[in-house]
Amino acid sequence: MAKLTIKRPKQTFQGYREYIDRIPLEMVLIPDGTFTMGAPESEEGSRDNERPQHDVTISSFLMGRYAVTQAQWQAIASRSDLKVNQDLDPDWRTLVYLGRLW
């Protein structure tokens, strides 16, 4: 098997950490840029719905560094200054039904 080498430029962490009711929420900056989305026809195992390849340009945005925990969800959802219409302690069957657990 061929050895794969990935070269990444050295860069400093860009993002922030916020505490909501003493529960940390870390965000990282996803920089703007352009990437090629989709698979070439020659890619083994690729499907027709992955074509045609095309360039996608995004603006920078913040994304959670880790998956959201139940504690983080409850801290956000229980804030009175936000409009949230969700059960603060849903069971997994509800999440699967709503398509939110995958």
Side-chain angles (χ1 to χ4, degrees):
M1 180 180 278
K3 183 178 179 182
L4 177 64
T5 302
I6 299 174
K7 294 183 180 181
R8 294 186 180 136
K10 299 252 184 209
Q11 51 187 332
T12 58
F13 168 78
Q14 293 184 4
Y16 77 95
R17 177 183 292 158
E18 182 174 339
Y19 289 88
I20 301 162
D21 295 335
R22 296 182 313 222
I23 307 223
L25 179 61
E26 288 188 51
M27 305 293 282
V28 293
L29 178 66
I30 308 300
D32 59 1
T34 300
F35 66 95
T36 301
M37 183 175 190
E41 290 194 29
S42 60
E43 184 176 309
E44 189 175 326
S46 65
R47 299 179 179 164
D48 287 340
N49 66 355
E50 298 175 277
R51 286 184 274 288
Q53 280 190 302
H54 57 284
D55 288 339
V56 175
T57 301
I58 62 168
S59 300
S60 60
F61 62 94
L62 291 169
M63 175 182 260
R65 188 169 186 178
Y66 307 105
V68 174
T69 66
Q70 279 291 316
Q72 289 168 328
W73 162 247
Q74 289 174 346
I76 295 284
S78 63
R79 288 178 50 171
S80 61
D81 60 327
L82 300 174
K83 292 182 180 180
V84 177
N85 188 19
Q86 290 291 327
D87 182 357
L88 294 182
D89 192 20
D91 81 23
W92 67 271
R93 289 178 284 291
T94 303
L95 294 173
V96 170
Y97 174 76
L98 295 174
R100 295 191 179 136
L101 186 66
W102 54 108

